[in-house]
Amino acid sequence: MSASPAPRSTEDRYVVVVNHEEQYSVWFADRALPAGWTATGAQGTRQECLDHIEQVWTDLTPRSVRASR
């Protein structure tokens, strides 16, 4: 059985990422980005990143759905 990873600190650094559907998320700054996601340039604590996402992601509809309207 493998050991569980150590709990992350609330002060860990994160980056804001976006996918091809213009959906946003946060990702650990010290990890490689998952496939299909691109860093936006915004970074900080998890809360700072979430606050940034709240300001910029005003339409939660995926890009492909918006384009088909």
Side-chain angles (χ1 to χ4, degrees), residues 40-57:
T40 65
Q43 57 185 313
T45 65
R46 185 173 189 277
Q47 189 58 55
E48 289 168 340
C49 289
L50 291 173
D51 291 344
H52 175 76
I53 291 170
E54 186 175 346
Q55 291 177 355
V56 298
W57 194 14

Side-chain angles (χ1 to χ4, degrees), residues 18-59:
V18 64
N19 67 17
H20 71 283
E21 288 285 1
E22 296 179 357
Q23 297 168 312
Y24 289 81
S25 190
V26 295
W27 192 253
F28 295 111
D30 61 350
R31 293 188 186 170
L33 296 180
W37 293 86
T38 304
T40 65
Q43 57 185 313
T45 65
R46 185 173 189 277
Q47 189 58 55
E48 289 168 340
C49 289
L50 291 173
D51 291 344
H52 175 76
I53 291 170
E54 186 175 346
Q55 291 177 355
V56 298
W57 194 14
T58 57
D59 185 350

